[in-house]
Structures are given as C-alpha cells and as structure tokens.
Amino acid sequence: MTRTVPVISDLTEDSTQRSIADLSVEDGAEAAVLVHIHFNRQRDDESLSELDLLARSAGALPVARVTGSRRSPDPAHFVGKGKAEEIRQVLKDTGAQLVLINHIISPVQERNLERILECRVIDRTGLILDIFATRAKSHEGKLQVELAQLRHLSTRLIRGWTHLERQKGGIGLRGPGETQLETDRRLLGQRIKTLRARLEKVRKRRTQSRKARKKIPVATVSLVGYTNAGKSSIFNTLTGANVYQADQLFATLDPTMRRLDLTNAGHIILADTVGFISHLPHSLVEAFHSTLEEVSDASLLLHVVDHSSERRLENIEQVNEVLREIEASEIPVITVYNKVDLTEREAGLERNEEDVITKVWVSARTGEGIEFLLQAIDEHFSRLRFRQTITVPVADGGLRAKIFQRFSVLNQSMHENGDWDMEIEGSQADMAWLNKQTGDHQAA
C-alpha cells in the first residue's frame, strides 16, 4: 500500500508530498525519522541539519523530525517516555521503520526505545559507522571500520540474542554450559583481537614507509578539515587526480597521496585524509589512528573550511580538537576557506605581521584563488630552502644535468681540469637526494 507522507527538504518547515514506496524505488532510500534533543534550552538547529546530511549520506530518506528540550537525558529512554510515545505516533503516521537519534545513547536506552517504538533505533555513532562501512575501499580502511563496528556492537549484543540468553533445561542440556550470548561475545572478542593484530601489522608497515621517506625526506602536506568542506575537490584541483568527491559527508575515507610540483620549492607530497565531524566517536579516532598518523607526520597542514557554512567557526574548533587529540596541533597550518563562489567573498589571501600567508580564500569548483593557494604552499617551503656550493667532476655530466633539473643553479664556474663549482639552492629533500648521489664529495 502506498502512503503519502511529508518529506523534509533541507530541514525547512516546507514539505513536499511524495510516497515512501515511490522514494524507496526511485532513490533506494529507507524512510527515517530524525530525533534531536536540545539540552539546557540551547537550540542547535545546525546540528539537526548535519544529522539530515548524515542520514542522506547513509542512504536514508528523512521523512519527519522530532525535537524536544530537556535538562538532562532520561536514564531509561534518553528522550523521555512521553517523547518516545510522540515518536511512535510519528512512525505510525509516516510509515517509517527507522529512527535516527542525533546523540550517543547507551545500549539500555537503545533497547528500551526499540521496545516502545517497535523499530530499529540507531544513534549518532552507529550512523557514522554505517557510512564509514560503505565508504572504506582499501584493505586497511575496511579493517579499521570493522574494528570500530565490532567494538560498538559488543555492548549491544543482547538486542539480537535475548531469546537465546538462557539455555533451556532438558536431557543432555543440564549442567554447566555456555549461553548463546556468551558464545557470541567470545567470538566477537576473538575477531576484535584478530583485527587488532592485522592493524598492528599495517601500522608497522606505515612506520617503515615513513622511515624510508625520512632517509630522503620529501615534505608532506596533509589536507584536513570538517567533512564535506571540499578537501577532495581541492586535492583534485591541485594534483589533477580523480579522487571521489561528492556533496555528502565522509565521501572519502582512505588517504590518497599525489606528487605536487611547486615553482620554487620543488616537489612535495600532498595527502587527502578523512574528514572530521563534531562529536566524532573516540572509537573511530582510535580505529583510524594509523591513518591519522599521516597527518601527525606532515610538514604542513591545509585546514580546509567551508566558507559558506554558518557553523564554520564551530567546525574549525572541532577539527582543532581532533588535531590536539592526535598530537598534530603544533604543525604549521594554512587555513583554506573554500566555496567562496557561494558567498560574496572574493578569492584572495591574508598575511600575518611576519608577512607569512596564513589564510587563503578559494573555490575548488570554479578554480578561483587556486593560484593563491599554490603561492602560499610554495612560499612556506621556499623559506625552508638551503644554499650549497658543490664540485661536480667533469666525468659526472649526468649528475650535473640532474642538478639543473632539480635545483635552482645560482652560479657556476669551471676549473681548468673541467670540474664544475655549482652554487645551488634547493629544499631539504633535494639536499638529501644530492648528498646520497655525491657520496664522498665534500661541499665547498
């Protein structure tokens, strides 16, 4: 039977009449009711808007929203029994079979709500984990997501196995034994242990790769920022890569690295990383720690901010909080305000008192201001360039040719025996490469 229900559009008061059945076929979406509680009388409509984006990113279709105000969460039902009955009526009116809570709720609260509502209840952590599960593509990303999911599930096993929690008595069944719930917990614990061991191997490989890079150091620039700020779009614009990008939360999870050649500073490695979000569950930060270590080891961070968002200041603080948690808050940062094409702000840059570029305004969609961003990165690493004079033997013409390709040659002069004295300028990575090539040749 087809039912007509109000469908939320961008979480405004306006609604459009469309059928859940039609939407399920057309959009592949699952009808859901969004629930958000304002605590301490502080309204947070933007957080509800973010829940709408999370729901749509997970493939759900928000068909209604229920809000309320409380001083503190109800211990049994989180939203309170009266509000739970209101949600139940909304479910009946809309025909939805899924409730998304914009908060982290306990297993007991989740189970009690499911008993009253007679449908699935998913909190903010479970919703984010579901999105992560669909976005992870690499072997490491899938391991990280599964580990976080199993940790989350381990506290909620009773929901699925209540009917097997106690074994029935009878011939052959009496005496000590293991309940189904205990069996599931034991198997879950074993799987978590296996995943941890596999991720530890991944972490060791990453550590070895970083040590190898440090032997011939190449500067790494990591893109960080609130999810859906446009990091992947900027990454693609700068490098010409084809990383998946979409107007949805957590469009990409797995880190991607590409080489970027700068006019003066030479080449660097640009890394696109997972986006951050407010109230990011600690289990996710822990599970993705090996990935986030790439951020911690970066030489420079490009903090991408959605300039069109009214919550940009709050989003900046949320990102800074995660950076502090992964011990990356001391790394130099250039703040990149993206999506200026959606605002009245023009592309440009801003310098501090030391004439260092600290902020850039760009649009990855139109390309406006990208030249300012490249200039900011180039200037940052140009300040870290070194000068050196080296003697290149006449017999090593190949090395001299490579020096011209890789360095800025400031001066050169030839000895009577054909050797060359070359005054060159390059980055730390360039100098490390040269020292490896020249071996025992001493700098003049």
Side-chain angles (χ1 to χ4, degrees):
M1 180 179 68
T2 300
R3 304 184 62 181
T4 301
V5 297
V7 179
I8 299 173
S9 176
D10 296 329
L11 291 180
T12 64
E13 296 299 330
D14 298 330
S15 61
T16 307
Q17 297 293 323
R18 294 180 69 187
S19 158
I20 284 185
D22 292 341
L23 286 164
S24 297
V25 173
E26 177 183 338
D27 304 325
E30 188 173 3
V33 174
L34 310 184
V35 178
H36 179 76
I37 303 299
H38 306 287
F39 292 103
N40 300 321
R41 300 184 181 276
Q42 294 181 354
R43 291 190 62 83
D44 191 5
D45 294 329
E46 283 295 325
S47 183
L48 184 56
S49 177
E50 182 175 86
L51 177 62
D52 178 80
L53 286 174
L54 283 169
R56 295 177 188 274
S57 297
L61 174 71
V63 296
R65 60 182 176 182
V66 177
T67 61
S69 298
R70 293 184 61 88
R71 290 186 177 180
S72 60
D74 179 69
H77 303 92
F78 187 83
V79 299
K81 194 168 183 179
K83 184 63 65 175
E85 291 295 339
E86 179 184 338
I87 298 171
R88 182 178 181 180
Q89 185 61 45
V90 172
L91 289 168
K92 182 178 179 181
D93 294 340
T94 61
Q97 291 295 318
L98 176 65
V99 172
L100 301 177
I101 309 287
N102 195 27
H103 307 274
I104 299 175
I105 63 177
S106 71
V108 172
Q109 292 167 335
E110 181 180 309
R111 184 170 67 254
N112 290 340
L113 281 174
E114 288 186 337
R115 286 173 177 170
I116 293 178
L117 303 178
E118 297 179 345
C119 74
R120 283 179 297 137
V121 174
I122 300 177
D123 69 353
R124 185 180 179 88
T125 299
L127 182 58
I128 293 175
L129 284 170
D130 185 80
I131 297 172
F132 274 37
T134 62
R135 299 286 191 269
K137 301 301 179 184
S138 69
H139 175 65
E140 178 186 4
K142 291 177 180 178
L143 289 177
Q144 291 168 328
V145 171
E146 184 181 355
L147 177 60
Q149 284 183 312
L150 292 181
R151 285 174 173 167
H152 183 68
L153 179 63
S154 62
T155 61
R156 288 162 165 79
L157 273 179
I158 189 170
R159 179 181 66 184
W161 299 103
T162 303
H163 62 295
L164 296 174
E165 188 173 356
R166 291 288 180 267
Q167 292 179 342
K168 294 181 180 180
I171 298 174
L173 297 177
R174 299 186 181 97
E178 188 174 47
T179 68
Q180 181 64 50
L181 183 60
E182 290 169 342
T183 301
D184 291 328
R185 284 176 175 162
R186 176 173 53 80
L187 294 175
L188 201 62
Q190 291 174 353
R191 180 60 179 169
I192 289 175
K193 184 178 180 180
T194 300
L195 289 174
R196 283 176 172 168
R198 291 182 181 178
L199 283 172
E200 180 61 20
K201 291 181 180 179
V202 172
R203 188 192 67 80
K204 289 180 178 179
R205 285 199 298 267
R206 282 188 175 275
T207 302
Q208 291 173 352
S209 297
R210 281 192 291 269
K211 287 181 179 179
R213 290 202 300 265
K214 288 178 180 179
K215 290 180 180 179
I216 306 180
V218 177
T220 301
V221 178
S222 287
L223 288 159
V224 299
Y226 209 77
T227 182
N228 205 34
K231 296 182 303 301
S232 295
S233 299
I234 289 179
F235 182 84
N236 289 342
T237 302
L238 289 175
T239 64
N242 191 30
V243 174
Y244 177 71
Q245 58 190 60
D247 185 19
Q248 56 186 206
L249 304 187
F250 303 115
T252 53
L253 282 185
D254 301 310
T256 306
M257 296 187 179
R258 293 289 188 275
R259 171 172 166 165
L260 178 63
D261 294 315
L262 301 173
T263 303
N264 299 310
H267 69 273
I268 62 170
I269 299 297
L270 190 65
D272 184 23
T273 60
V274 62
F276 302 150
I277 195 170
S278 61
H279 309 300
L280 185 66
H282 181 76
S283 60
L284 291 182
V285 176
E286 185 178 353
F288 278 78
H289 194 269
S290 63
T291 299
L292 294 174
E293 282 179 350
E294 296 292 346
V295 175
S296 304
D297 285 344
S299 305
L300 173 68
L301 300 181
L302 299 183
H303 183 169
V304 182
V305 179
D306 182 354
H307 187 61
S308 65
S309 172
E310 296 180 356
R311 288 177 58 92
R312 57 182 177 273
L313 294 180
E314 291 90 338
N315 293 349
I316 289 173
E317 179 53 35
Q318 291 291 340
V319 172
N320 290 338
E321 182 178 337
V322 177
L323 291 177
R324 287 191 290 269
E325 187 169 350
I326 63 176
E327 300 180 354
S329 58
E330 300 300 322
I331 300 174
V333 177
I334 296 176
T335 305
V336 184
Y337 292 94
N338 189 28
K339 304 184 183 181
V340 295
D341 55 303
L342 302 179
T343 68
E344 297 180 356
R345 172 80 194 203
E346 294 183 355
L349 54 81
E350 179 180 303
R351 298 177 181 272
N352 60 14
E353 297 178 353
E354 300 175 353
D355 200 35
V356 175
I357 299 176
T358 56
K359 299 177 181 178
V360 182
W361 284 263
V362 305
S363 169
R365 188 178 69 85
T366 65
E368 298 176 70
I370 293 300
E371 69 277 9
F372 297 126
L373 178 55
L374 286 169
Q375 178 185 346
I377 301 172
D378 203 1
E379 284 191 14
H380 174 82
F381 289 106
S382 291
R383 293 196 305 274
L384 304 177
R385 289 172 68 81
F386 301 89
R387 290 189 179 186
Q388 184 174 333
T389 301
I390 188 171
T391 300
V392 181
V394 63
D396 207 346
L399 175 61
R400 183 166 175 265
K402 291 179 181 179
I403 289 176
F404 272 102
Q405 293 175 353
R406 189 156 186 158
F407 294 84
S408 296
V409 179
L410 306 178
N411 291 294
Q412 61 176 333
S413 59
M414 188 174 65
H415 294 269
E416 293 182 357
N417 64 354
D419 293 348
W420 287 89
D421 284 339
M422 305 180 69
E423 184 183 0
I424 57 177
E425 182 182 72
S427 66
Q428 181 182 2
D430 293 329
M431 292 301 178
W433 172 86
L434 181 62
N435 291 335
K436 185 176 181 180
Q437 299 298 315
T438 56
D440 295 333
H441 291 116
Q442 300 295 320

